[in-house]
Amino acid sequence: MTQDRRRTAPHRLIGLAATAIFAVFAGNIILAKISAEMGLSMPRLPARTEFALLLAATGLGVLFLIKEERRKG
């Protein structure tokens, strides 16, 4: 019997969510660096929010990779 090895919709959503959350985290850091270099005062996310974003992106990324390894068998 052949196993279906396609990615399921929840699997793809986990990967996309991890990527999107990490992009928000990285974008915040890049904007902060640009504003510091230019001497501007731009709003930033609080440190707790940055930590929560990084934690969520890492957790979802690990979950995605575990599911990917199981899928590949």
Side-chain angles (χ1 to χ4, degrees), residues 56-71:
T58 303
L60 288 173
V62 168
L63 182 62
F64 175 80
L65 291 174
I66 288 171
K67 285 180 160 273
E68 187 71 14
E69 287 299 316
R70 284 187 183 163
R71 183 184 70 84

PDB file of all heavy atoms in Angstrom, residues 56-71:
ATOM      1  N   ALA A  56       7.601  31.766  19.591  1.00  0.00           N
ATOM      2  CA  ALA A  56       6.555  31.181  18.753  1.00  0.00           C
ATOM      3  C   ALA A  56       7.117  30.719  17.412  1.00  0.00           C
ATOM      4  O   ALA A  56       6.788  29.619  16.939  1.00  0.00           O
ATOM      5  CB  ALA A  56       5.441  32.203  18.534  1.00  0.00           C
ATOM      6  N   ALA A  57       7.956  31.538  16.797  1.00  0.00           N
ATOM      7  CA  ALA A  57       8.543  31.158  15.511  1.00  0.00           C
ATOM      8  C   ALA A  57       9.417  29.920  15.652  1.00  0.00           C
ATOM      9  O   ALA A  57       9.366  29.020  14.801  1.00  0.00           O
ATOM     10  CB  ALA A  57       9.361  32.313  14.942  1.00  0.00           C
ATOM     11  N   THR A  58      10.190  29.838  16.719  1.00  0.00           N
ATOM     12  CA  THR A  58      11.042  28.672  16.938  1.00  0.00           C
ATOM     13  C   THR A  58      10.214  27.426  17.197  1.00  0.00           C
ATOM     14  O   THR A  58      10.470  26.363  16.628  1.00  0.00           O
ATOM     15  CB  THR A  58      11.999  28.926  18.116  1.00  0.00           C
ATOM     16  OG1 THR A  58      12.766  30.103  17.845  1.00  0.00           O
ATOM     17  CG2 THR A  58      12.933  27.759  18.327  1.00  0.00           C
ATOM     18  N   GLY A  59       9.202  27.545  18.050  1.00  0.00           N
ATOM     19  CA  GLY A  59       8.348  26.402  18.346  1.00  0.00           C
ATOM     20  C   GLY A  59       7.621  25.886  17.114  1.00  0.00           C
ATOM     21  O   GLY A  59       7.583  24.679  16.860  1.00  0.00           O
ATOM     22  N   LEU A  60       7.054  26.793  16.329  1.00  0.00           N
ATOM     23  CA  LEU A  60       6.362  26.377  15.108  1.00  0.00           C
ATOM     24  C   LEU A  60       7.339  25.811  14.082  1.00  0.00           C
ATOM     25  O   LEU A  60       7.014  24.858  13.370  1.00  0.00           O
ATOM     26  CB  LEU A  60       5.588  27.551  14.507  1.00  0.00           C
ATOM     27  CG  LEU A  60       4.339  27.979  15.264  1.00  0.00           C
ATOM     28  CD1 LEU A  60       3.767  29.261  14.662  1.00  0.00           C
ATOM     29  CD2 LEU A  60       3.303  26.882  15.253  1.00  0.00           C
ATOM     30  N   GLY A  61       8.530  26.387  14.016  1.00  0.00           N
ATOM     31  CA  GLY A  61       9.542  25.868  13.092  1.00  0.00           C
ATOM     32  C   GLY A  61       9.965  24.455  13.445  1.00  0.00           C
ATOM     33  O   GLY A  61      10.096  23.591  12.575  1.00  0.00           O
ATOM     34  N   VAL A  62      10.156  24.199  14.724  1.00  0.00           N
ATOM     35  CA  VAL A  62      10.520  22.852  15.173  1.00  0.00           C
ATOM     36  C   VAL A  62       9.383  21.879  14.890  1.00  0.00           C
ATOM     37  O   VAL A  62       9.608  20.763  14.409  1.00  0.00           O
ATOM     38  CB  VAL A  62      10.906  22.854  16.668  1.00  0.00           C
ATOM     39  CG1 VAL A  62      11.001  21.445  17.216  1.00  0.00           C
ATOM     40  CG2 VAL A  62      12.209  23.599  16.873  1.00  0.00           C
ATOM     41  N   LEU A  63       8.152  22.300  15.170  1.00  0.00           N
ATOM     42  CA  LEU A  63       6.992  21.450  14.888  1.00  0.00           C
ATOM     43  C   LEU A  63       6.903  21.137  13.394  1.00  0.00           C
ATOM     44  O   LEU A  63       6.659  19.988  13.006  1.00  0.00           O
ATOM     45  CB  LEU A  63       5.714  22.134  15.366  1.00  0.00           C
ATOM     46  CG  LEU A  63       4.420  21.365  15.196  1.00  0.00           C
ATOM     47  CD1 LEU A  63       4.455  20.070  16.009  1.00  0.00           C
ATOM     48  CD2 LEU A  63       3.254  22.232  15.631  1.00  0.00           C
ATOM     49  N   PHE A  64       7.135  22.134  12.555  1.00  0.00           N
ATOM     50  CA  PHE A  64       7.113  21.930  11.115  1.00  0.00           C
ATOM     51  C   PHE A  64       8.184  20.928  10.689  1.00  0.00           C
ATOM     52  O   PHE A  64       7.920  20.022   9.895  1.00  0.00           O
ATOM     53  CB  PHE A  64       7.319  23.259  10.378  1.00  0.00           C
ATOM     54  CG  PHE A  64       7.428  23.114   8.891  1.00  0.00           C
ATOM     55  CD1 PHE A  64       6.285  22.970   8.125  1.00  0.00           C
ATOM     56  CD2 PHE A  64       8.652  23.115   8.269  1.00  0.00           C
ATOM     57  CE1 PHE A  64       6.371  22.826   6.744  1.00  0.00           C
ATOM     58  CE2 PHE A  64       8.751  22.967   6.892  1.00  0.00           C
ATOM     59  CZ  PHE A  64       7.602  22.832   6.132  1.00  0.00           C
ATOM     60  N   LEU A  65       9.389  21.074  11.223  1.00  0.00           N
ATOM     61  CA  LEU A  65      10.480  20.166  10.844  1.00  0.00           C
ATOM     62  C   LEU A  65      10.233  18.742  11.325  1.00  0.00           C
ATOM     63  O   LEU A  65      10.561  17.786  10.621  1.00  0.00           O
ATOM     64  CB  LEU A  65      11.807  20.697  11.384  1.00  0.00           C
ATOM     65  CG  LEU A  65      12.301  21.976  10.713  1.00  0.00           C
ATOM     66  CD1 LEU A  65      13.546  22.490  11.420  1.00  0.00           C
ATOM     67  CD2 LEU A  65      12.561  21.746   9.241  1.00  0.00           C
ATOM     68  N   ILE A  66       9.645  18.586  12.507  1.00  0.00           N
ATOM     69  CA  ILE A  66       9.320  17.237  12.990  1.00  0.00           C
ATOM     70  C   ILE A  66       8.287  16.594  12.070  1.00  0.00           C
ATOM     71  O   ILE A  66       8.426  15.428  11.673  1.00  0.00           O
ATOM     72  CB  ILE A  66       8.807  17.293  14.440  1.00  0.00           C
ATOM     73  CG1 ILE A  66       9.970  17.617  15.388  1.00  0.00           C
ATOM     74  CG2 ILE A  66       8.137  15.982  14.837  1.00  0.00           C
ATOM     75  CD1 ILE A  66       9.525  17.896  16.809  1.00  0.00           C
ATOM     76  N   LYS A  67       7.245  17.352  11.696  1.00  0.00           N
ATOM     77  CA  LYS A  67       6.238  16.815  10.801  1.00  0.00           C
ATOM     78  C   LYS A  67       6.842  16.500   9.426  1.00  0.00           C
ATOM     79  O   LYS A  67       6.476  15.513   8.796  1.00  0.00           O
ATOM     80  CB  LYS A  67       5.076  17.801  10.637  1.00  0.00           C
ATOM     81  CG  LYS A  67       4.159  17.866  11.825  1.00  0.00           C
ATOM     82  CD  LYS A  67       3.054  18.871  11.551  1.00  0.00           C
ATOM     83  CE  LYS A  67       1.894  18.642  12.446  1.00  0.00           C
ATOM     84  NZ  LYS A  67       0.951  17.681  11.952  1.00  0.00           N
ATOM     85  N   GLU A  68       7.760  17.314   8.965  1.00  0.00           N
ATOM     86  CA  GLU A  68       8.409  17.092   7.678  1.00  0.00           C
ATOM     87  C   GLU A  68       9.242  15.814   7.694  1.00  0.00           C
ATOM     88  O   GLU A  68       9.219  15.031   6.753  1.00  0.00           O
ATOM     89  CB  GLU A  68       9.281  18.292   7.330  1.00  0.00           C
ATOM     90  CG  GLU A  68       9.885  18.267   5.962  1.00  0.00           C
ATOM     91  CD  GLU A  68       8.878  18.473   4.840  1.00  0.00           C
ATOM     92  OE1 GLU A  68       7.731  18.891   5.108  1.00  0.00           O
ATOM     93  OE2 GLU A  68       9.237  18.201   3.684  1.00  0.00           O
ATOM     94  N   GLU A  69       9.954  15.596   8.769  1.00  0.00           N
ATOM     95  CA  GLU A  69      10.750  14.352   8.881  1.00  0.00           C
ATOM     96  C   GLU A  69       9.862  13.131   8.953  1.00  0.00           C
ATOM     97  O   GLU A  69      10.178  12.092   8.365  1.00  0.00           O
ATOM     98  CB  GLU A  69      11.667  14.417  10.103  1.00  0.00           C
ATOM     99  CG  GLU A  69      12.838  15.358   9.933  1.00  0.00           C
ATOM    100  CD  GLU A  69      13.753  14.963   8.795  1.00  0.00           C
ATOM    101  OE1 GLU A  69      14.061  13.758   8.671  1.00  0.00           O
ATOM    102  OE2 GLU A  69      14.140  15.851   8.028  1.00  0.00           O
ATOM    103  N   ARG A  70       8.759  13.230   9.662  1.00  0.00           N
ATOM    104  CA  ARG A  70       7.818  12.108   9.715  1.00  0.00           C
ATOM    105  C   ARG A  70       7.199  11.845   8.348  1.00  0.00           C
ATOM    106  O   ARG A  70       6.966  10.705   7.971  1.00  0.00           O
ATOM    107  CB  ARG A  70       6.726  12.369  10.741  1.00  0.00           C
ATOM    108  CG  ARG A  70       7.176  12.187  12.147  1.00  0.00           C
ATOM    109  CD  ARG A  70       6.017  12.284  13.087  1.00  0.00           C
ATOM    110  NE  ARG A  70       6.477  12.178  14.460  1.00  0.00           N
ATOM    111  CZ  ARG A  70       5.770  12.544  15.504  1.00  0.00           C
ATOM    112  NH1 ARG A  70       4.563  13.038  15.329  1.00  0.00           N
ATOM    113  NH2 ARG A  70       6.254  12.423  16.711  1.00  0.00           N
ATOM    114  N   ARG A  71       6.916  12.910   7.629  1.00  0.00           N
ATOM    115  CA  ARG A  71       6.321  12.778   6.306  1.00  0.00           C
ATOM    116  C   ARG A  71       7.272  12.080   5.353  1.00  0.00           C
ATOM    117  O   ARG A  71       6.875  11.222   4.569  1.00  0.00           O
ATOM    118  CB  ARG A  71       5.935  14.150   5.750  1.00  0.00           C
ATOM    119  CG  ARG A  71       5.231  14.119   4.413  1.00  0.00           C
ATOM    120  CD  ARG A  71       4.973  15.506   3.897  1.00  0.00           C
ATOM    121  NE  ARG A  71       6.181  16.183   3.507  1.00  0.00           N
ATOM    122  CZ  ARG A  71       6.759  16.048   2.310  1.00  0.00           C
ATOM    123  NH1 ARG A  71       6.253  15.264   1.411  1.00  0.00           N
ATOM    124  NH2 ARG A  71       7.859  16.715   2.028  1.00  0.00           N
TER     125      ARG A  71
END
